[in-house]
Amino acid sequence: MENTAVAWNPSLPGAKIEDTFIILKDGELENLTFDPKWPSVKVEGRDRPLPLKID
């Protein structure tokens, strides 16, 4: 599975998010879609983007 790309696409009514990861040699995941400049919060040890608020 090393160097394999996988996508995670959970959704709820009115909400959707998708991440793309590369499985690394040690089995860890590298998130290719996370932008460290976007506001985020840690959820179960992983940085998750905060929703965009449009006023």
Side-chain angles (χ1 to χ4, degrees):
M1 297 278 298
E2 178 184 347
N3 297 322
T4 301
V6 294
W8 176 249
N9 188 335
S11 60
L12 297 168
K16 183 177 178 96
I17 189 169
E18 180 170 319
D19 287 314
T20 302
F21 296 90
I22 294 289
I23 301 173
L24 303 175
K25 185 175 185 175
D26 61 3
E28 291 292 314
L29 299 173
E30 178 183 349
N31 189 332
L32 300 177
T33 51
F34 180 74
D35 183 349
K37 293 178 267 175
W38 189 268
S40 64
V41 64
K42 273 219 189 291
V43 176
E44 296 186 17
R46 189 173 301 279
D47 290 322
R48 302 302 304 149
L50 293 173
L52 174 64
K53 291 183 182 180
I54 301 174
D55 294 324

